[in-house]
Amino acid sequence: MQRPLATRLRAFGDRVARRMGAPTLKIGISARILHPQPGAAGLQAKTLQYLEQTAAHWVMSRDVLVVMVPTVDKDGLLHRSNMRLADYARHLDGLVLQGGADVSPASYGEAPLRPEWAGDRLRDEYEMELLQEFIEAGKPVLGICRGAQLINVAFGGTLVQDIATQLPAAQPHVSDAYEKLRHAVRFEPGGHLAQLYPGAAPALVTSIHHQAIGKVGRGLAVEARAAPDGVVEAVRAGGAGFVLGVQWHPEFHAPGDGAVLDCAPILDEFLRAAGNPAWI
């Protein structure tokens, strides 16, 4: 899809402004978490927190600093700290909630339909607190894949635990092809994404997820759906702040690949919001 001229000009202006001495934006990315494996030794016996490289590099492509935000454990056995997630929200300019493990059904008041869909409740609690702190600080939040689902649950919504089981008429949304799996999305008329991509026909995105947004959270509006099955693929919070969740992986879309949606406008809009807390 051809990137709109106005969007390209805004992105160019943003880059010029930064190179002329504008403050460098600092964007936090929530951590993925690997929990200790029973009976394991070495690193597998430790809790690991990490970033998926492509997500970090996608954000860094606009010459901003990326900081992984770790969990905070005030009662740690080895090292105690008085730092809070609110401190990260105060010092950083925006937050990206990256993909990863399932959101736990317990986080939206359900029991897992299968043991393997139990998700990561500890990560849910950490990211929900992080999300809340950035919202209260008036800082923008962009959720990717799991991040979009987490936003929906944090706003009181629910998830479809498994698309293939609960929505059997839906097209495949996950496969062994992983980042090569693509399907079309259409933007909801009148939504902000529809304005960001004026006149856009259904566009291909890289979207890999066996869970999906079910009941939409309070204060959220659906911005995009998968075509043709209607599975929710993007939600946005109303009001003056910027809270957007996209089910697809914009970081997997190579610049200049006309076969898929150009996701640069989404990143540029998020970073403009990070540079201007009064963005509406």
Side-chain angles (χ1 to χ4, degrees):
M1 177 179 296
Q2 182 63 37
R3 189 176 176 188
L5 176 60
T7 301
R8 296 201 302 272
L9 291 175
R10 282 198 301 269
F12 176 75
D14 291 345
R15 296 172 77 91
V16 170
R18 287 194 292 273
R19 290 169 181 169
M20 292 178 66
T24 300
L25 292 177
K26 300 179 289 295
I27 301 299
I29 301 184
S30 64
R32 290 186 180 222
I33 302 175
L34 284 178
H35 298 285
Q37 300 298 310
L43 280 179
Q44 290 185 332
K46 303 292 186 181
T47 298
L48 304 180
Q49 301 185 12
Y50 66 102
L51 296 181
E52 198 281 311
Q53 177 175 282
T54 311
H57 286 185
W58 179 61
V59 180
M60 291 168 66
S61 70
R62 291 299 186 261
D63 301 330
V64 304
L65 290 173
V66 164
V67 177
M68 188 189 79
V69 182
T71 59
V72 173
D73 184 2
K74 293 183 178 180
D75 300 318
L77 296 177
L78 296 178
H79 305 290
R80 297 177 183 270
S81 173
N82 290 320
M83 295 302 295
R84 302 171 302 160
L85 293 178
D87 295 314
Y88 285 94
R90 184 168 65 253
H91 290 286
L92 298 177
D93 299 305
L95 172 69
V96 174
L97 298 170
Q98 64 171 325
D102 287 350
V103 174
S104 173
S107 294
Y108 48 93
E110 295 183 7
L113 299 178
R114 293 185 184 175
E116 61 267 31
W117 300 338
D120 189 340
R121 185 69 186 274
L122 291 177
R123 181 176 170 184
D124 295 350
E125 293 175 352
Y126 144 71
E127 286 188 313
M128 285 187 191
E129 181 181 350
L130 192 59
L131 169 64
Q132 184 62 37
E133 294 294 354
F134 271 80
I135 290 176
E136 290 185 1
K139 306 292 180 68
V141 179
L142 175 62
I144 296 173
C145 194
R146 169 195 159 90
Q149 297 173 4
L150 192 284
I151 287 171
N152 189 63
V153 170
F155 277 73
T158 65
L159 301 181
V160 175
Q161 292 189 33
D162 182 68
I163 295 172
T165 300
Q166 297 176 272
L167 302 175
Q171 63 191 314
H173 285 259
V174 66
S175 79
D176 292 339
Y178 197 58
E179 75 272 10
K180 293 181 173 57
L181 178 65
R182 296 172 173 178
H183 64 65
V185 297
R186 55 176 176 80
F187 302 121
E188 291 292 282
H192 206 87
L193 286 179
Q195 297 175 30
L196 198 61
Y197 295 94
L204 284 179
V205 296
T206 301
S207 192
I208 316 109
H209 55 109
H210 85 96
Q211 297 189 315
I213 290 173
K215 184 185 76 174
V216 177
R218 295 181 298 274
L220 297 179
V222 175
E223 289 271 314
R225 294 181 182 272
D229 59 30
V231 169
V232 175
E233 290 278 332
V235 290
R236 182 186 293 266
F242 182 107
V243 179
L244 172 66
V246 296
Q247 185 65 71
W248 61 87
H249 285 269
E251 72 274 20
F252 291 165
H253 291 192
D257 184 353
V260 293
L261 180 72
D262 178 8
C263 288
I266 293 173
L267 177 59
D268 292 337
E269 184 187 44
F270 166 67
L271 294 178
R272 281 196 300 275
N276 179 12
W279 180 91
I280 297 178

